[in-house]
């Protein structure tokens, strides 16, 4: 799975929320002002289609886009890369980092303890 740029990932987040969308729908759901130009978003969506993340249905010259890669699959791949590249594939190193950086609360730690058994 090819890595996404920040812009591509932002567009994918929108497509995962909408499930089916025309470019104008994607633009409407982007929370930034001024809204990005139509041609910019259209170009990014076409790049995502070439990378295999997005499919489309053609209605004449208009295209309705949908995600091919699920958010869960993308998250799994991204997490594996982070775990491998930054934590030497060690869940212990990751948890230690989260605890040290106070990114995980006592309540969350307790829940994890129960899951682990």
């Amino acid at each position: 799975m090819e890595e996404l740029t920040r812009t591509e990932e932002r567009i994918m987040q929108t497509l995962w929320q909408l499930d089916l969308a025309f470019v104008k729908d994607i633009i409407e759901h982007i929370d930034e002002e001024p809204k990005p130009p139509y041609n910019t978003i259209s170009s990014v969506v076409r790049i995502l289609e070439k990378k295999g993340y997005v499919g489309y249905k053609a209605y004449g010259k208009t295209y309705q886009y949908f995600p091919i890669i699920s958010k869960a699959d993308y998250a799994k791949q991204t997490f594996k890369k982070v775990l491998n590249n930054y934590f030497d594939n060690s869940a212990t190193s990751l948890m230690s980092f989260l605890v040290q950086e106070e990114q995980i609360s006592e309540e969350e730690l307790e829940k994890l303890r129960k899951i682990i058994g």
Side-chain angles (χ1 to χ4, degrees):
M1 190 180 306
E2 196 171 338
E3 203 166 321
L4 299 179
T5 65
R6 284 184 185 175
T7 301
E8 292 166 349
E9 192 170 310
R10 189 175 81 209
I11 301 304
M12 283 305 301
Q13 292 288 350
T14 301
L15 279 171
W16 285 319
Q17 287 177 357
L18 298 174
D19 201 38
L20 283 170
F22 295 98
V23 171
K24 67 179 183 62
D25 300 325
I26 296 168
I27 293 169
E28 286 174 14
H29 280 84
I30 293 176
D31 291 334
E32 77 180 46
E33 293 296 334
K35 299 286 187 186
Y38 183 96
N39 288 341
T40 301
I41 301 305
S42 180
S43 294
V44 172
V45 172
R46 283 191 307 253
I47 290 167
L48 288 166
E49 189 262 324
K50 286 179 185 168
K51 287 184 174 184
Y53 282 83
V54 171
Y56 64 89
K57 293 179 186 176
Y59 299 96
K61 293 183 179 182
T62 304
Y63 298 93
Q64 187 177 38
Y65 297 96
F66 55 89
I68 294 174
I69 304 293
S70 73
K71 187 174 183 177
D73 286 342
Y74 182 72
K76 189 165 136 183
Q77 282 298 112
T78 302
F79 181 75
K80 283 181 181 179
K81 285 180 187 175
V82 168
L83 188 63
N84 183 46
N85 293 338
Y86 297 99
F87 301 100
D88 299 321
N89 254 352
S90 168
T92 304
S93 293
L94 171 64
M95 292 305 295
S96 175
F97 172 81
L98 291 172
V99 170
Q100 288 173 1
E101 295 297 317
E102 298 176 10
Q103 297 296 312
I104 191 164
S105 68
E106 285 294 326
E107 181 181 316
E108 290 171 315
L109 274 174
E110 190 57 39
K111 285 180 185 177
L112 288 170
R113 283 185 192 105
K114 288 178 183 176
I115 290 170
I116 294 169

